[in-house]
Amino acid sequence: MELVAGCYEQVLFGFAVRPEPAAGDDHEQKWTPVADFTHHAHTASLSAVAVNSRFVVTGSKDETIHIYDMKKKVDHGALVHHNGTITCLKFYGNRHLISGAEDGVICVWDAKKWECLKSIKAHKGHVTFLSIHPSGKLALSVGTDKTLRTWNLVEGRSAFIKNIKQNAHIVEWSPRGEKYVVVMLNKIDIYQLDTASVSGTITNEKRISSVTFLSESVLAVAGDEEVVRFFDCDSLMCLCEFKAHDNRIKDMFSFEIPEHHVIVTASSDGFVKMWKLKQNKKVPPSLLCEVKTNARLTCLGVWLDRVTDTKESLPPAAEPSVSKEESKIKKEAGNIVQEEERQSKANTKKCGLTDDSNKPTKGNSLVSTKKRKMVEMLEKKKKKKKI
């Protein structure tokens, strides 16, 4: 297992974590983090990270996505299609990566050949966050155009648009995909998939920076404060809260391994901490280990050295175009929902066929780090000559 964290200082940290033998029956098992690597490929702060069974990908304000091979511990190149800060990265299994950026574009990448399969102009403003349904058929995205958009990933098109009152900066499906949450500032709207309407709203004390589902009904919430809170999505009650850090929490990640349900937190205080969750979520978790990076952390991931992933790829395009999940969302009553099939034909473009960008730094496939930096240097020289 490896904890990976990005920071303002342009570095990706990797810490291998191993369990120590328990010192007797009464003692809690401790885990030991060991510094494994630092990867300095970006030229600006890191803004997003995603992990599959082989690679860690990082997004940055330098508008690039870098790929790091966790098996070989080497740089695997860069993806340079976006024209804005990379805001979100999500793997679906080992075959597909979806990226969103401040250029309003969502890209679907082949994570084997590292080619852009689809480039969609998704939002009129920035894409702030996206989440893939557990089935792989749907994705949700939010942006600075005050919309929540549903995407049919089978056909690579927009399915529905819902206008929301404020700009949302986080959207997240629950583990079974029966509900999803939309975060605006310090408020969380909980949507039920079967009705596609808001079933309740959770209000946090400070602006929310990260949420992660611990179960279908329990949501962990962190924000611009030192505390993590667990909320019940049905009763909307706070089950427990605990002080996790000495500064604001920037990101969280939860996962399950044999005998352990774990939540990891990263903070501006430079610490990454691993916590063991109790079966009763009203009881605060216990600290398994912590590591200090001496950096201002921004994003977090966990690489689990698994042989294979059960979700290999997105569903094939031969499947029915309107899935059960999509039709459920369509049932939403009284909301401003628009079908965008006509627009999607104009906005959705296959990469490499109709991409009108002539910039040498932007492309549809893998670029080596050396080549990218050379192109950047040449561009700077051209600008200086013009001046």
Side-chain angles (χ1 to χ4, degrees), residues 4-217:
V4 291
C7 64
Y8 281 110
E9 290 79 5
Q10 308 174 6
V11 173
L12 177 71
F13 296 98
F15 296 93
V17 183
R18 297 178 184 87
E20 292 177 2
D25 297 334
D26 299 330
H27 289 77
E28 191 82 58
Q29 188 181 42
K30 289 286 181 184
W31 294 61
T32 307
V34 179
D36 187 34
F37 70 88
T38 54
H39 186 222
H40 193 164
H42 290 285
T43 57
S45 61
L46 275 67
S47 49
V49 64
V51 184
N52 72 1
S53 64
R54 177 69 185 265
F55 298 102
V56 172
V57 292
T58 53
S60 167
K61 287 189 175 181
D62 66 10
E63 306 182 356
T64 68
I65 299 165
H66 271 270
I67 309 155
Y68 189 74
D69 189 323
M70 288 298 289
K71 300 280 188 183
K72 296 179 179 177
K73 295 289 192 297
V74 293
D75 187 293
H76 196 70
L79 306 173
V80 288
H81 186 81
H82 287 287
N83 285 298
T85 295
I86 312 300
T87 54
C88 42
L89 295 166
K90 300 285 177 180
F91 275 112
Y92 186 83
N94 287 320
R95 279 309 303 259
H96 293 96
L97 171 72
I98 302 183
S99 61
E102 286 187 359
D103 56 6
V105 171
I106 288 175
C107 291
V108 180
W109 301 89
D110 182 323
K112 296 286 184 186
K113 297 176 182 176
W114 296 110
E115 292 174 348
C116 184
L117 303 174
K118 189 77 82 171
S119 179
I120 307 161
K121 181 60 180 171
H123 288 268
K124 289 172 184 174
H126 303 166
V127 178
T128 51
F129 212 86
L130 60 88
S131 182
I132 305 168
H133 190 271
S135 68
K137 294 177 184 178
L138 290 178
L140 295 170
S141 69
V142 288
T144 57
D145 55 1
K146 296 182 183 177
T147 63
L148 166 65
R149 299 184 184 230
T150 307
W151 300 95
N152 180 327
L153 292 180
V154 177
E155 296 185 1
R157 63 171 175 82
S158 173
F160 311 104
I161 306 170
K162 175 178 166 51
N163 292 322
I164 50 182
K165 292 175 185 176
Q166 291 175 281
N167 287 329
H169 62 281
I170 300 173
V171 63
E172 197 72 63
W173 286 104
S174 65
R176 292 204 298 267
E178 293 171 6
K179 60 171 71 80
Y180 53 95
V181 295
V182 177
V183 180
M184 295 162 287
L185 298 174
N186 67 327
K187 291 186 177 179
I188 305 166
D189 282 342
I190 300 160
Y191 289 77
Q192 301 298 325
L193 182 62
D194 55 357
T195 60
S197 59
V198 177
S199 62
T201 300
I202 291 167
T203 304
N204 195 52
E205 286 187 22
K206 298 280 181 77
R207 184 187 183 274
I208 294 159
S209 57
S210 181
V211 299
T212 184
F213 277 95
L214 305 180
S215 67
E216 193 64 23
S217 60

Side-chain angles (χ1 to χ4, degrees), residues 116-337:
C116 184
L117 303 174
K118 189 77 82 171
S119 179
I120 307 161
K121 181 60 180 171
H123 288 268
K124 289 172 184 174
H126 303 166
V127 178
T128 51
F129 212 86
L130 60 88
S131 182
I132 305 168
H133 190 271
S135 68
K137 294 177 184 178
L138 290 178
L140 295 170
S141 69
V142 288
T144 57
D145 55 1
K146 296 182 183 177
T147 63
L148 166 65
R149 299 184 184 230
T150 307
W151 300 95
N152 180 327
L153 292 180
V154 177
E155 296 185 1
R157 63 171 175 82
S158 173
F160 311 104
I161 306 170
K162 175 178 166 51
N163 292 322
I164 50 182
K165 292 175 185 176
Q166 291 175 281
N167 287 329
H169 62 281
I170 300 173
V171 63
E172 197 72 63
W173 286 104
S174 65
R176 292 204 298 267
E178 293 171 6
K179 60 171 71 80
Y180 53 95
V181 295
V182 177
V183 180
M184 295 162 287
L185 298 174
N186 67 327
K187 291 186 177 179
I188 305 166
D189 282 342
I190 300 160
Y191 289 77
Q192 301 298 325
L193 182 62
D194 55 357
T195 60
S197 59
V198 177
S199 62
T201 300
I202 291 167
T203 304
N204 195 52
E205 286 187 22
K206 298 280 181 77
R207 184 187 183 274
I208 294 159
S209 57
S210 181
V211 299
T212 184
F213 277 95
L214 305 180
S215 67
E216 193 64 23
S217 60
V218 179
L219 185 71
V221 179
D224 290 347
E225 54 188 330
E226 304 87 4
V227 173
V228 176
R229 294 183 179 91
F230 297 166
F231 286 95
D232 187 304
C233 291
D234 300 322
S235 70
L236 309 178
M237 298 293 288
C238 180
L239 301 175
C240 82
E241 66 173 68
F242 63 98
K243 186 185 176 185
H245 291 270
D246 291 327
N247 207 326
R248 59 183 176 172
I249 296 158
K250 297 292 288 184
D251 206 0
M252 293 189 297
F253 190 91
S254 67
F255 63 95
E256 290 186 64
I257 52 175
E259 298 179 26
H260 285 80
H261 189 182
V262 176
I263 186 168
V264 186
T265 56
S267 166
S268 297
D269 65 9
F271 277 92
V272 180
K273 296 187 181 185
M274 238 174 91
W275 309 83
K276 183 182 179 181
L277 294 161
K278 311 297 182 186
Q279 268 195 314
N280 181 359
K281 297 302 181 287
K282 290 181 180 179
V283 180
S286 56
L287 186 65
L288 288 171
C289 68
E290 63 181 22
V291 61
K292 189 174 183 181
T293 63
N294 292 314
R296 294 169 295 161
L297 301 177
T298 55
C299 49
L300 175 70
V302 177
W303 180 70
L304 300 167
D305 192 5
R306 288 172 175 163
V307 176
T308 186
D309 197 313
T310 51
K311 300 172 187 173
E312 271 301 308
S313 61
L314 293 171
E319 293 195 13
S321 61
V322 180
S323 67
K324 185 170 70 176
E325 294 89 353
E326 193 176 323
S327 62
K328 279 181 181 177
I329 287 177
K330 196 175 181 179
K331 284 178 186 175
E332 182 167 351
N335 288 316
I336 305 163
V337 179

